[in-house]
Amino acid sequence: MKYIIILGDGMADEPIGSLGGRTPLQAACKPSIDRVAALGRSGMLATVPAGFAPGSEIANLSVLGYDLPKVFEGRGSLEAASMGVRIEDGEMAMRCNLLTIEQGRIKNHSAGHITSEEAAELIVFLQKELGGGDANFFPGVSYRHLLKLKGGDKRIATTPPHDVPGTPYRDVLVRALVPEAEATAVRINELVERSQELLKDHPVNRARVAAGKEPANSIWPWSPGYRPRMETLMQRYGIRDGVVISAVDLIKGIGVYAGLKPVDVEGATGLYTTNYEGKARAALDALRTHDFVFLHIEASDEAGHEGDAELKVRTIEYLDSRVVKTILDEISGWDEPVSMAILPDHPTPCALRTHTAKPVPFTIYRTGVSGDGVQRFDERSAQEGSYGNLSGDEFMNLFIDGD
């Protein structure tokens, strides 16, 4: 048996007035995804355990069946694995966004989706000016980077910047949760303030402003943690090997700790302009030689963060016509049986422009197994599916072991 999970990040949503009271999944023309639902069996999956914020790191680890209280060590530590940056004992890693501050408020979480080339120049500059001692910066993709802090105490409260657009940044700076972490909070906030002084007149930002683009005029470290200790999917589920395909360091890092080999696809951006066809071909190539493929598509989540319902519909339609159709058409002719799952990790409602913790729809198609009568894939239809409501590792156990 071969296994492939196709995850459309943030696809789930709430009914939207401009879409006639439908969700983007209900409004989208997606015959191939609906065909998978009609051939397979559906249900709802709770991906955010109690006590956790609905971040992609939490939801994707949950989809893969991990016990979050036991394994989660922050987003930065997961992204470090994808970037090939080792977290040593006594070090704390954090996701470090480049973002735009305007009149003292967080304007966006992505510095206008700054290019990786521009961002790398800024991060290298910050490393030269601020790094080299207890703090060190590492460039990633677009606005997503890494900060390592020697001696950092993770018992701090940090705020994901995509959750608070329009908020005065000083209202959501790092806070210590225990007295022992006060020095860590002070140090991180000092780095934020210093970064704003250094970045405001950098040539990259002067050029961006001149071109009508938003400047990357601040760092924003968040989601702290140490080096995680996780069993691989091979150890947990007995599969032989697998790969992860994503444009996002966070997802690739989860894959690395899960024992999956990252596969890079040229032109994969994490936006609606991503190379959908390249990802589909890479997934099929990997599935021929490996047991398990985790294919992650980020675009719908970014559309949700932008509050753009029409764009979100389009990203779902792109996923359908340029990824799912290609994969489904090809594996339908294979002699070897295949198990295919399609689902989001969490909702990213356009009205809220951030993640929520509501359960998400999923469908599983398995060669030779009859469907349950559900004909469409969306938040309402999946509630009628035969798998009912799942949580914890129930989805992965069902996906790997079958009915």
Side-chain angles (χ1 to χ4, degrees), residues 29-345:
C29 178
K30 51 182 197 328
S32 295
I33 296 175
D34 289 339
R35 183 180 169 213
V36 174
L39 292 170
R41 301 180 182 184
S42 299
M44 299 294 292
L45 176 62
T47 61
V48 183
F52 286 90
S56 289
E57 68 278 25
I58 299 301
N60 280 275
L61 282 167
S62 184
V63 166
L64 292 174
Y66 284 102
D67 185 338
L68 272 299
K70 290 183 178 179
V71 306
F72 182 59
E73 281 290 349
R75 180 181 289 239
S77 62
L78 296 169
E79 295 180 340
S82 170
M83 297 164 67
V85 177
R86 179 172 173 80
I87 304 170
E88 304 292 348
D89 292 340
E91 289 186 328
M92 183 179 78
M94 304 181 73
R95 156 68 83 82
C96 186
N97 280 43
L98 285 173
L99 47 68
T100 303
I101 302 289
E102 186 173 87
Q103 296 182 343
R105 296 177 180 269
I106 296 175
K107 185 174 184 182
N108 62 53
H109 69 285
S110 65
H113 294 293
I114 188 171
T115 68
S116 297
E117 293 75 19
E118 290 172 309
E121 186 174 340
L122 295 177
I123 294 297
V124 169
F125 169 70
L126 289 175
Q127 174 63 16
K128 179 181 177 183
E129 297 295 325
L130 298 178
D134 64 322
N136 287 280
F137 299 87
F138 300 85
V141 176
S142 184
Y143 59 89
R144 312 173 188 96
H145 308 282
L146 179 71
L147 169 65
K148 282 204 307 180
L149 198 63
K150 295 178 182 177
D153 190 320
K154 74 172 185 177
R155 293 173 295 177
I156 53 177
T158 67
T159 301
H162 53 261
D163 284 354
V164 288
T167 301
Y169 81 90
R170 288 194 172 92
D171 290 355
V172 284
L173 286 169
V174 178
R175 293 183 296 104
L177 297 175
V178 297
E180 295 85 351
E182 185 64 36
T184 297
V186 169
R187 179 63 173 134
I188 294 168
N189 291 335
E190 177 187 68
L191 291 170
V192 171
E193 299 284 1
R194 286 282 292 124
S195 76
Q196 294 179 18
E197 297 172 12
L198 292 165
L199 291 174
K200 62 182 179 181
D201 291 322
H202 191 280
V204 166
N205 281 325
R206 289 205 303 268
R208 287 182 63 80
V209 170
K213 300 176 182 178
E214 293 169 338
N217 57 13
S218 182
I219 61 167
W220 195 261
W222 58 287
S223 194
Y226 311 129
R227 184 172 65 246
R229 291 169 174 82
M230 292 166 49
E231 286 185 310
T232 68
L233 296 182
M234 296 78 203
Q235 293 168 327
R236 290 176 59 83
Y237 301 107
I239 56 179
R240 178 172 55 92
D241 55 16
V243 307
V244 57
I245 301 170
S246 176
V248 178
D249 276 328
L250 167 65
I251 305 302
K252 289 192 284 187
I254 289 173
V256 169
Y257 281 114
L260 305 177
K261 176 185 176 183
V263 173
D264 293 325
V265 175
E266 185 177 357
T269 64
L271 302 175
Y272 76 95
T273 55
T274 197
N275 183 1
Y276 292 92
E277 292 82 2
K279 284 193 168 185
R281 296 313 311 177
L284 285 167
D285 290 344
L287 205 58
R288 290 188 182 92
T289 55
H290 297 76
D291 281 355
F292 180 92
V293 173
F294 188 72
L295 174 58
H296 172 267
I297 311 287
E298 173 78 359
S300 294
D301 185 61
E302 294 293 344
H305 285 307
E306 293 177 12
D308 191 332
E310 296 297 334
L311 178 60
K312 191 166 186 180
V313 169
R314 200 184 329 155
T315 64
I316 294 168
E317 292 177 344
Y318 286 164
L319 176 65
D320 180 88
S321 62
R322 300 166 67 179
V323 176
V324 176
K325 183 180 188 302
T326 300
I327 293 173
L328 183 61
D329 286 351
E330 186 146 337
I331 66 174
S332 296
W334 288 7
D335 293 331
E336 186 165 11
V338 177
S339 183
M340 174 194 287
I342 299 176
L343 76 166
D345 50 350

